[in-house]
Amino acid sequence: VQLQASGGGLVQAGGSLRLSCTATASGRTSSSYVMGWFRQAPGKEREFVAAIGRSGGSTYYADSVKGRFTISRDNAKNAVYLQMNSLKPEDTAVYYCAADRGIIQSSIRNSGEYDYWGQGTQVTVSS
């Protein structure tokens, strides 16, 4: 599956952005995949942000974004979204979408468990 992330940009603290990730899967629909968002700031390791189950019924968040970010998906459009509100300077990072077919719930926050990755989109939050 190929993933294409978009929607990043420069925003002031307290502002909002909506990231999108479109999946292209030969012979399969995106509903076959658990989808996740991760981020990596300069000099830091890639960290989990949010994930969503295949049907969209289950969502998972890092504590640092809970209550501010919302992950959703539209399987008809093979897309997953990350609505980011009340952005903070510490949210500045490159954001990556990821996908995996066989990941289990206990591993959903582990970047090493995802087989497919998008190219990343830069989010910069100014203070």
Side-chain angles (χ1 to χ4, degrees), residues 8-61:
L10 173 64
V11 64
Q12 289 187 333
S16 299
L17 282 174
R18 187 192 194 210
L19 305 184
S20 299
C21 177
T22 302
T24 304
S26 175
R28 302 185 187 277
T29 65
S30 65
S31 61
S32 299
Y33 297 85
V34 169
M35 303 294 292
W37 285 98
F38 291 78
R39 66 187 182 186
Q40 188 167 17
K44 295 187 176 181
E45 293 186 353
R46 191 169 297 188
E47 64 174 1
F48 170 77
V49 176
I52 188 166
R54 295 171 183 81
S55 66
S58 299
T59 56
Y60 310 83
Y61 295 96

Side-chain angles (χ1 to χ4, degrees), residues 1 8 28 32 45-46 48 59 85 95 98 105 113 117 119 125-126:
V1 61
R28 302 185 187 277
S32 299
E45 293 186 353
R46 191 169 297 188
F48 170 77
T59 56
N85 298 329
Y95 283 70
Q105 183 177 344
E113 296 294 324
W117 291 84
Q119 85 288 2
V125 184
S126 63

